[in-house]
Amino acid sequence: MTRTRFHALIEQRLIQLDGATGTELVKRGMPAGVCPEAWVLEHPEALAAVQQAYAASGSDLVYAPTFGGNPLKLAEFHLEQRTGEINRQLAEISRRAVPGKLVFGDIAPTGQLVEPFGPLPFEKTVELYKEQVRGLIDGSVDGFAIETMMDLQEARAALIAVRELSDLPAIVTLTFEPGGRTLTGVHPVSALVTLQALGADAFGCNCSTGPAEMAEVIRELKPYAAIPLVAKPNAGMPHLVDGTTVFDLAPDAFAKASVALIDAGANLLGGCCGTSPAHLAALHNEISSRRPLPVRQEKRGVVASPSSFRRLALEEPFAIIGERINPTGKKALQVELRAGKFELVREFAREQSAQGAALLDVNFGLSGIDETAMMRAGVAELVRIGSTPLCIDSTRPETVEAALRLYPGRALLNSISAEEERLNKVLPIAAKYGAMLILLPLTDDGIPESAAERIEVLDRILAEAARYGYTPADCAADALIMTISADRQAAAVSLDFIEYCSRQLKLNTVCGLSNVSFGLPARATVNLTFLGMAIGRGLNCAIANPSAPGIVDAVIASDALSGRDPQLDRYLAYHAVAASGETPRQTTPAPAPAAQSPEELLCDAVLRGKKEAVPAILDTLIAAGKAPGELVDGILIPAITEVGNRFERKEYFLPQLMQSAAAMQLAMEQLEPLLRSGGADAAGPVFLLATVKGDIHDIGKNIVALLLKNHHFQVIDLGKDVPAETIVNAAIEHDAAFIGLSALMTTTMPQMKVVVDLARSRGVTAPVIVGGAAVDEAFADSIGAIYAADAMATVRRATELLQTGEKR
């Protein structure tokens, strides 16, 4: 099926997907702990029965049973060498089972965190998915369903693999937790705008929640969606009844609740965990006479990082694009970059974000370095430490591609001009990765002198960009400001250009603010005055230093005066901070390092994930006679606890959490020998961790292990797919103070009760703390365990239990 036909089909009516496959295969004899893909190859009749039942219940599209068909998952069963063959055969079995129905190849997570957030290299991830995609193409699938993704970067890798091998349609769905974000902190709108720009044909969510909760996510996505939306909810929440996992929504209740998904804007509907052919038949009866809401994107021009997004539009607040990550004129930064260091880059990023920058311009154009390698490493650093979207700024096509390929979001590209290389080489790269564009009215002959000539050049660039699917809303015209010290008419020409673009073309406009004053005294005054004049003519973005005196004040006031802050909420909140005696910033940055004591520097290093600073700070403190135990209990533990608090308040997300945890872990590794030699007990209470039998998912468990180690627990991680007997034996052998159990799949949740019952029967009284995507407090209570919603909640519950002595 072509992508055009797929979209035409969705415009005509609602498309019904299938329901849960794993649980239906279990009903037909698939045992726990086996490789589902291999078992289906041996029992094709079981899969055919499941898919034929879904087809009979009204499903238009079924997923081939290749959820665990990527090489890393198959490696759990020593089947990675058969990746292509397994995927091809499973696709062929599905096509034979349901002729006339659409069959999409199912692509799911690898189970590892991907660069820049984890150890799995991004390019390796793309290649791993390509192995699976090739097999599915050989099996003649009609398209691809990239599903149950928790990490936007991994979803990007899978989609890039599809797009570089095939022009078949691709659906992408992420799994959003009850708080509205994925396990890794991805915001739904960030994921949507990133993936639809990258070439997804439909986007949405699956798993984790029931229809009512999922409708909230779909409703939030709808105004930003240029593609159809997908909803594949669970049948409510799971409960354990007589040793079997039972979901709380029966077929009719599930179907009635799913109507809210259509009203919210979903165009493709199906079911995930707990749903059966009966659920899908009830859904079909409920929705067959309904029409979907049309795909009508209301909010365009959005840039995004994984955890935040920002719309650039004339009616939106003025956007400052932080200019400081640029080595031009910055000798200290040049020295660092030539040495391969990023400390100043991180400091500039944090400072500009704290001051209110909407984006960060990133430029590593410097002689004597590998700009492409530096840009790639710099983008990774910036993504790990913050959430502000990036503006990629380079004149080299290969550098632009390296940055946009790795960046796990939708970037702004600075810039596309009418120069031949930019149009023929850089514009196709930008379009491939879906970046927004800054358009520079510059030709191979130089800078046009008049506003009219610049507008003519701009029209040529816009027409060329339209060939790649760009609309004016995806672009911002650069006013190309030159210094008035060399050309007295430079400001006037740029102002006329800004006004025409804003008023006539309804186009975003941007300028490099400090250019206008180059070579003049009192540059700050000139810059600020020009900014006010330009805003009055329609300017809505500027590449500037938000720390410069008066810049943020002027922007906040201009939004209030222009109606971009209609209730004056931002203006009043900004000045309420000033009235309290604090500097009116979004976030008050930490004091400069020179003003901080070594103790404060150590705390700050953990809070901000400055792993590279930890060894030297600890050396200074130890040389000054500070006791290692005092450093742990008085500085490190309070600091990592505050990191956890910020994570729970949604001020920090997984990248910041992982950065801080890595800094904390390095500090503990340096201090542990000193703690032992000083007679202190370096090992805290034993916390035994395991993913239960039959379940091979362990990303969440690994994050829990890292944070527990940071909080001075002695962690024994038994890994994944661990039998109850092994867990209980280990708990007895190590005299565990706590047992932590993880399960992602609903089919393996009953194993948690098996562990609890076995532990109690053998006299193990250690509290059992459980977690996982489908686990909730009611489930934990029903098996005699304690529920923890996330990694930080696990640490907190264990700490509380140590203090109270509670055993449950």
Side-chain angles (χ1 to χ4, degrees):
M1 166 169 280
T2 66
R3 297 171 71 186
T4 301
R5 283 185 58 201
F6 182 66
H7 284 276
L9 180 63
I10 296 172
E11 288 176 5
Q12 297 169 14
R13 59 185 174 86
L14 290 165
I15 302 301
Q16 184 169 314
L17 308 175
D18 60 10
T21 298
T23 48
E24 292 301 306
L25 291 174
V26 169
K27 293 176 184 177
R28 290 161 176 79
M30 186 176 75
V34 302
C35 174
E37 290 74 23
W39 188 86
V40 169
L41 290 178
E42 296 171 358
H43 303 84
E45 72 287 349
L47 175 68
V50 172
Q51 293 185 327
Q52 288 163 4
Y54 281 128
S57 69
S59 293
D60 305 292
L61 187 159
V62 300
Y63 291 7
T66 53
F67 184 93
N70 66 71
L72 285 186
K73 284 296 184 186
L74 290 175
E76 301 284 347
F77 304 96
H78 309 291
L79 295 171
E80 65 274 20
Q81 298 302 319
R82 295 179 57 197
T83 297
E85 170 199 348
I86 288 171
N87 280 275
R88 174 182 59 78
Q89 291 180 353
L90 291 173
E92 290 172 345
I93 291 170
S94 294
R95 292 209 67 83
R96 291 194 296 269
V98 285
K101 299 293 183 178
L102 295 175
V103 174
F104 275 34
D106 195 348
I107 300 174
T110 62
Q112 295 189 28
L113 285 174
V114 179
E115 178 192 14
F117 306 119
L120 186 61
F122 182 74
E123 291 303 328
K124 181 177 179 180
T125 310
V126 174
E127 290 305 314
L128 288 168
Y129 279 125
K130 281 185 176 180
E131 287 189 52
Q132 182 176 15
V133 170
R134 290 187 186 99
L136 292 169
I137 292 171
D138 290 344
S140 300
V141 294
D142 296 297
F144 303 90
I146 299 167
E147 65 149 319
T148 321
M149 290 287 176
M150 295 173 282
D151 177 20
L152 178 55
Q153 188 70 323
E154 190 168 31
R156 288 183 72 253
L159 184 56
I160 287 172
V162 168
R163 284 287 154 259
E164 290 185 344
L165 294 175
S166 166
D167 198 37
L168 293 173
I171 296 170
V172 187
T173 56
L174 272 66
T175 295
F176 297 100
E177 302 290 310
R181 292 178 182 265
T182 70
L183 174 67
T184 57
V186 177
H187 192 286
V189 174
S190 293
L192 166 68
V193 299
T194 298
L195 294 166
Q196 69 184 9
L198 194 60
D201 295 285
F203 174 81
C205 34
N206 76 290
C207 205
S208 280
T209 62
E213 297 84 359
M214 194 169 283
E216 293 298 319
V217 177
I218 297 296
R219 194 171 293 111
E220 184 175 15
L221 292 171
K222 185 63 177 173
Y224 299 91
I227 55 178
L229 295 177
V230 186
K232 225 171 181 251
N234 290 345
M237 292 302 295
H239 307 285
L240 203 60
V241 178
D242 297 329
T244 302
T245 304
V246 177
F247 284 77
D248 57 14
L249 286 181
D252 287 345
F254 173 81
K256 292 185 184 302
S258 295
V259 170
L261 292 165
I262 304 171
D263 294 337
N267 306 78
L268 299 93
L269 289 92
C272 202
C273 299
T275 59
S276 65
H279 286 83
L280 272 295
L283 178 66
H284 182 73
N285 292 336
E286 193 71 43
I287 70 172
S288 57
S289 62
R290 295 181 62 100
R291 297 279 299 173
L293 294 178
V295 177
R296 186 177 295 123
Q297 187 180 15
E298 298 171 6
K299 296 185 177 182
R300 301 173 181 268
V302 180
V303 290
S305 71
S307 58
S308 70
F309 63 95
R310 177 66 185 266
R311 184 175 179 234
L312 305 181
L314 298 179
E315 67 272 21
E316 293 289 332
F318 191 95
I320 298 175
I321 303 170
E323 69 178 7
R324 301 199 68 195
I325 305 174
N326 186 324
T328 304
K330 300 183 182 73
K331 290 185 178 179
L333 180 57
Q334 292 173 10
V335 170
E336 275 210 354
L337 293 180
R338 288 194 171 106
K341 298 180 180 178
F342 291 98
E343 181 57 31
L344 276 176
V345 170
R346 288 187 285 264
E347 289 301 320
F348 289 159
R350 292 180 179 115
E351 178 187 302
Q352 292 180 110
S353 297
Q355 294 282 3
L359 296 95
L360 300 176
D361 189 77
V362 185
N363 182 308
F364 292 121
L366 179 66
S367 63
I369 67 169
D370 183 337
E371 182 187 349
T372 298
M374 188 65 69
M375 176 66 83
R376 200 177 187 281
V379 166
E381 287 285 342
L382 291 168
V383 169
R384 285 193 291 262
I385 67 164
S387 61
T388 306
L390 300 185
C391 175
I392 303 303
D393 186 353
S394 176
T395 60
R396 299 167 63 91
E398 60 270 29
T399 302
V400 170
E401 176 145 34
L404 295 181
R405 188 172 179 87
L406 179 67
Y407 183 58
R410 190 188 191 201
L412 178 65
L413 175 62
N414 188 9
S415 56
I416 298 294
S417 67
E419 296 166 293
E420 184 177 353
E421 183 178 68
R422 304 303 284 183
L423 289 180
N424 295 338
K425 292 185 178 180
V426 181
L427 180 56
I429 292 169
K432 175 180 178 178
Y433 299 105
M436 279 190 69
L437 306 177
I438 291 178
L439 308 182
L440 192 66
L442 177 70
T443 73
D444 287 310
D445 296 325
I447 301 170
E449 291 186 4
S450 69
E453 290 172 315
R454 293 182 186 185
I455 290 165
E456 182 182 342
V457 173
L458 176 67
D459 286 341
R460 296 208 316 261
I461 303 172
L462 282 168
E464 191 66 20
R467 292 180 54 239
Y468 291 91
Y470 280 99
T471 68
D474 296 310
C475 305
D478 193 317
L480 197 55
I481 295 173
M482 307 305 292
T483 176
I484 60 171
S485 65
D487 180 359
R488 303 296 184 272
Q489 297 303 310
V493 169
S494 292
L495 290 171
D496 289 345
F497 179 81
I498 289 167
E499 184 165 23
Y500 180 86
C501 292
S502 174
R503 309 289 190 242
Q504 301 300 317
L505 301 181
K506 306 300 181 185
L507 193 65
N508 294 307
T509 53
V510 63
C511 70
L513 183 60
S514 62
N515 293 349
V516 73
S517 65
F518 186 78
L520 295 176
R523 293 188 65 187
T525 301
V526 177
N527 294 343
L528 198 56
T529 303
F530 180 81
L531 177 62
M533 296 171 68
I535 289 174
R537 302 286 283 271
L539 185 76
N540 68 310
C541 307
I543 301 174
N545 180 2
S547 300
I551 295 291
V552 176
D553 292 312
V555 166
I556 293 289
S558 73
D559 284 345
L561 290 166
S562 65
R564 291 193 292 261
D565 184 8
Q567 304 302 318
L568 303 184
D569 292 336
R570 292 189 303 278
Y571 182 86
L572 294 174
Y574 179 81
H575 287 285
V577 176
S580 69
E582 299 180 31
T583 304
R585 297 164 175 160
Q586 288 190 357
T587 305
T588 303
Q596 292 179 292
S597 68
E599 290 85 354
E600 290 170 330
L601 286 171
L602 181 59
C603 178
D604 185 66
V606 174
L607 284 175
R608 299 203 283 169
K610 298 166 66 174
K611 178 180 176 181
E612 69 288 343
V614 167
I617 298 171
L618 282 177
D619 286 344
T620 299
L621 287 165
I622 292 166
K626 294 292 182 182
E630 180 183 341
L631 295 177
V632 172
D633 296 332
I635 298 176
L636 294 173
I637 294 296
I640 198 67
T641 299
E642 174 57 21
V643 169
N645 292 338
R646 294 181 186 186
F647 178 72
E648 290 192 329
R649 294 195 300 264
K650 305 303 180 187
E651 296 171 13
Y652 276 12
F653 299 102
L654 189 63
Q656 294 98 324
L657 184 71
M658 298 292 283
Q659 286 284 102
S660 292
M664 175 74 175
Q665 186 172 5
L666 183 64
M668 293 301 298
E669 289 171 358
Q670 188 170 344
L671 289 174
E672 278 179 5
L674 300 175
L675 289 167
R676 294 192 193 99
S677 64
D681 181 11
V686 174
F687 203 120
L688 190 76
L689 283 176
T691 300
V692 296
K693 182 180 178 181
D695 205 311
I696 58 172
H697 302 87
D698 64 351
I699 285 182
K701 173 183 64 63
N702 294 342
I703 295 169
V704 171
L706 183 59
L707 284 189
L708 286 168
K709 291 175 184 176
N710 286 172
H711 283 79
H712 212 33
F713 285 88
Q714 183 182 355
V715 175
I716 297 173
D717 188 346
L718 300 180
K720 50 196 174 186
D721 190 19
V722 185
E725 186 76 20
T726 302
I727 296 171
V728 175
N729 286 343
I732 294 170
E733 176 187 350
H734 297 285
D735 192 22
F738 299 95
I739 299 172
L741 304 178
S742 172
L744 180 67
M745 300 186 299
T746 55
T747 53
T748 60
M749 286 169 57
Q751 282 295 317
M752 291 181 165
K753 179 173 172 52
V754 174
V755 174
V756 173
D757 291 347
L758 180 61
R760 301 303 178 240
S761 71
R762 295 184 60 183
V764 177
T765 60
V768 179
I769 301 179
V770 299
V775 177
D776 62 6
E777 193 156 4
F779 174 82
D781 287 343
S782 72
I783 66 171
I786 297 164
Y787 172 62
D790 54 38
M792 203 57 222
T794 304
V795 173
R796 182 162 288 110
R797 287 298 284 132
T799 303
E800 291 170 353
L801 291 169
L802 283 175
Q803 293 169 349
T804 63
E806 185 181 343
K807 284 295 183 183
R808 179 181 171 277

